Amino acid sequence: MRRPLALLAVAVSTVLLGSAVPVAAAPDSDSRETGAGSLAWSSCGDAATPALQCAMLEVPVDYAHPDGRKIKLKLNRLPATAPKAEQQGPILLNPGGPGDSGLWMPAYITGQIPADVASTYDWIGFDPRGTNGSEPHVVCDAHYFDGERPDYQVSQGTEKAWLRKAATYAADCAADWSWILPHMTTVDSARDMDRIRAALGAKKINFYGGSWGTSLGSTYGQLFPTHVRRMVLDSIVGPTISWYDHNILQDKEHQRRFRAFAEWTAKADSVYHLGTDADTVIKKYYAVEDALRTTPVSAAPAPGKIGPAEFEDTFYGGGYNFLRWPRMATVLSGYLTRHDTRPLNIAYNRYATPGADDGAFPNYNATQCTESAWPRDWEFWKKDQAKVNAVAPFYTYNNMWYNAACMFWPYQGGPGRLKVTGKGLPPVLLFQATEDAATPYAGGVAMRKALPGSKLVVQNGGSFHEILFHGNACLDDTFVAYLRDGTLPSGKGLIAKTCAPGADPAPTYVEPAVTAKASVTALSPTDPEAVHGRF
């Protein structure tokens, strides 16, 4: 039976929030090849990519006890097809999350770069431990995200419902998965990557990681610097910031991106009829949210209804990917000027509907809640988050409740995120947009300073989260040149190269009749409007 955790929100003692505690780790401390496991590759049965191969790899649950209980990782690969003398070894891929699947990445990325470069690598995707096709697939509450959820706004008196929900989720996870949850940190995943390297028979690997994948890659480089050949980090999590503090940075950057959306919409008043200034557009956004509090909209074919929480979830992804802006503006315009809720229904089903289970959420919590200290007292959260909400109301309480299980997580607080120094690493290529809301610009600067031999490429004015593969030749050509022969930007100083942003999307009213079919299908990770995880 599951054992619900008693709701101790105001009774638990406060843990004061501090910086992440540096952890000393000897480089290559887990470099033994013994027990590395083996890979039996077979066809994935993918008709679109018949060359794609799949395998499972056995790894230890606890690397402190490598001969103990084992789990399995799901891997796939697109093998190199260039002549043997031209091949450059495996490149492992991770899109972030934490916990998002990387199995879509080999076929997608090789389709975005020149064939003569793609053919020289073995492209390796994998599902992080406990997620997706890896075994076990950890599920704590398959219905956690079902709608209609309690209102995110504390002012609506739903805090007890959310505290109970978060506490029960943490307790359910602990009741069913106590044997693996303490071993789902970034360091554990980095050690898994080295088991993959060893099983591939490679002395060194190449790596591309986006979002949380930049934390994974830099952690791997700190543990195993001599096992790194080339490394690319795209949209960067700062190497020392605590996860709690990172969320606050996200809140403030999402507020900026929301205002940018409102300014863009206001310039297109002839299309959307929502006002000619950003403040008017923002007021109309909140008018729709208020209306949904009293009259929620059917979410069909998704379960439940679209209330204010579901409405917010439909919109926050615009901070990750501005290609969503035309549909977001259409949602507001349809609701307010045409009394039409179909655009909202379609956008919710494309962007925010829950999956068949809680997806990567257990891994997300187990990674973040476990590896850095979080406040444990609701009164601290309430006061601190209210200060943030006063300047960044668009995302603060949404983000707070998404992370609230960390208040109750039983495996929490230490020893802290691994300190990254770059010692022994080859030059790392870094990509960062200045307007990225999910992994703010400061993280890219901090990583550049932590890795003295690295090169930072900045998209000045860019806002995509994970900025490669969106058709920007300045960025993509830099990536390709590095993969081709190790060429790095020649610029000196903090920023080695600056690229221009792409143009804003054209304002278009997205007619519901044209997109109705999309309302029954969640976005593919390769869809231009897709976003990956929260980091």
Side-chain angles (χ1 to χ4, degrees):
M1 291 181 62
R2 298 187 177 195
R3 300 180 294 279
L5 183 66
L7 188 60
L8 303 177
V10 296
V12 293
S13 60
T14 302
V15 174
L16 295 178
L17 180 68
S19 299
V21 180
V23 178
D28 297 349
S29 59
D30 191 42
S31 60
R32 298 171 300 169
E33 303 296 333
T34 57
S38 60
L39 294 169
W41 295 103
S42 61
S43 172
C44 296
D46 187 329
T49 314
L52 198 64
Q53 300 172 338
C54 287
M56 301 294 288
L57 177 65
E58 193 173 76
V59 298
V61 172
D62 182 357
Y63 279 96
H65 304 283
D67 297 324
R69 190 170 183 173
K70 303 294 195 295
I71 56 177
K72 292 181 180 180
L73 306 178
K74 178 71 176 288
L75 282 63
N76 67 0
R77 75 171 177 181
L78 271 179
T81 56
K84 193 73 175 176
E86 299 175 15
Q87 293 183 16
Q88 304 196 61
I91 178 166
L92 274 63
L93 309 166
N94 181 272
D100 282 2
S101 174
L103 298 182
W104 60 272
M105 299 182 79
Y108 178 73
I109 294 179
T110 55
Q112 304 300 309
I113 65 176
D116 68 314
V117 175
S119 66
T120 64
Y121 289 89
D122 294 310
W123 297 83
I124 310 296
F126 63 96
D127 283 339
R129 54 172 50 207
T131 70
N132 304 294
S134 291
E135 296 175 1
H137 172 52
V138 176
V139 176
C140 297
D141 179 356
H143 301 290
Y144 187 77
F145 292 107
D146 286 358
E148 181 184 358
R149 293 186 289 283
D151 199 317
Y152 292 133
Q153 299 305 309
V154 172
S155 61
Q156 299 301 312
T158 54
E159 63 187 64
K160 288 184 179 179
W162 272 112
L163 288 168
R164 188 178 304 109
K165 191 175 176 71
T168 301
Y169 188 85
D172 286 351
C173 284
D176 293 341
W177 300 102
S178 60
W179 60 275
I180 190 173
L181 289 181
H183 309 294
M184 293 176 73
T185 66
T186 306
V187 167
D188 291 307
S189 291
R191 294 192 183 280
D192 286 345
M193 282 175 50
D194 207 54
R195 288 297 178 112
I196 295 172
R197 176 202 60 79
L200 291 169
K203 291 183 179 179
K204 297 187 177 189
I205 61 168
N206 308 280
F207 178 78
Y208 166 81
S211 195
W212 171 81
T214 66
S215 182
L216 176 61
S218 59
T219 298
Y220 181 85
Q222 187 65 29
L223 291 171
F224 308 106
T226 63
H227 296 176
V228 176
R229 181 174 177 269
R230 291 177 189 154
M231 180 175 287
V232 179
L233 306 181
D234 177 358
S235 303
I236 297 162
V237 177
T240 60
I241 193 168
S242 74
W243 292 120
Y244 180 90
D245 284 341
H246 192 279
N247 286 333
I248 291 174
L249 279 183
Q250 283 188 326
D251 299 339
K252 294 176 180 178
E253 291 304 310
H254 271 286
Q255 188 67 36
R256 291 179 60 208
R257 293 309 298 157
F258 180 53
R259 174 159 283 276
F261 158 73
E263 290 170 350
W264 174 87
T265 303
K267 291 176 183 176
D269 184 57
S270 62
V271 177
Y272 301 114
H273 310 292
L274 293 169
T276 58
D277 63 276
D279 288 340
T280 299
V281 174
I282 290 171
K283 287 178 182 178
K284 291 188 175 179
Y285 167 87
Y286 287 113
V288 175
E289 183 169 350
D290 284 341
L292 292 171
R293 287 193 170 95
T294 55
T295 311
V297 169
S298 170
K305 294 183 178 181
I306 304 171
E310 291 75 22
F311 177 71
E312 289 189 23
D313 285 348
T314 303
F315 270 74
Y316 82 81
Y320 289 70
N321 185 337
F322 67 177
L323 296 182
R324 294 187 174 195
W325 285 3
R327 190 179 298 277
M328 290 163 53
T330 297
V331 167
L332 300 182
S333 181
Y335 192 99
L336 292 170
T337 70
R338 302 189 186 188
H339 308 291
D340 186 356
T341 62
R342 288 177 300 164
L344 172 58
N345 178 280
I346 290 170
Y348 173 70
N349 275 276
R350 281 176 66 82
Y351 299 153
T353 51
D357 56 38
D358 47 354
F361 196 51
N363 181 285
Y364 176 95
N365 283 292
T367 298
Q368 295 196 104
C369 301
T370 303
E371 69 186 17
S372 73
W374 288 73
R376 304 288 276 183
D377 180 8
W378 165 237
E379 290 303 317
F380 173 88
W381 281 64
K382 188 174 183 177
K383 292 177 182 178
D384 195 51
Q385 295 289 305
K387 294 175 185 176
V388 182
N389 187 69
V391 295
F394 172 68
Y395 191 54
T396 295
Y397 287 135
N398 181 319
N399 207 15
M400 178 183 76
W401 292 123
Y402 191 84
N403 289 277
C406 288
M407 200 185 316
F408 306 99
W409 205 253
Y411 318 103
Q412 194 250 37
R417 294 179 66 200
L418 189 71
K419 184 177 181 180
V420 174
T421 65
K423 184 178 180 181
L425 268 180
V428 176
L429 183 57
L430 310 174
F431 289 92
Q432 184 66 47
T434 59
E435 310 306 308
D436 183 355
T439 50
Y441 177 68
V445 172
M447 187 67 79
R448 166 63 182 84
K449 292 178 179 178
L451 302 176
S454 62
K455 293 286 188 176
L456 175 61
V457 180
V458 170
Q459 189 182 26
N460 191 19
S463 64
F464 272 120
H465 177 57
E466 298 183 8
I467 61 178
L468 292 173
F469 320 125
H470 294 291
N472 186 305
C474 178
L475 299 168
D476 293 350
D477 290 353
T478 305
F479 172 76
V480 169
Y482 180 61
L483 286 195
R484 188 187 300 279
D485 57 19
T487 297
L488 286 160
S490 59
K492 307 296 183 182
L494 181 67
I495 300 172
K497 184 175 182 178
T498 300
C499 295
D504 286 345
T508 305
Y509 190 93
V510 186
E511 292 291 345
V514 176
T515 57
K517 186 177 180 181
S519 70
V520 299
T521 306
L523 292 181
S524 160
T526 60
D527 191 292
E529 294 180 34
V531 299
H532 303 122
R534 293 227 170 184
F535 289 99

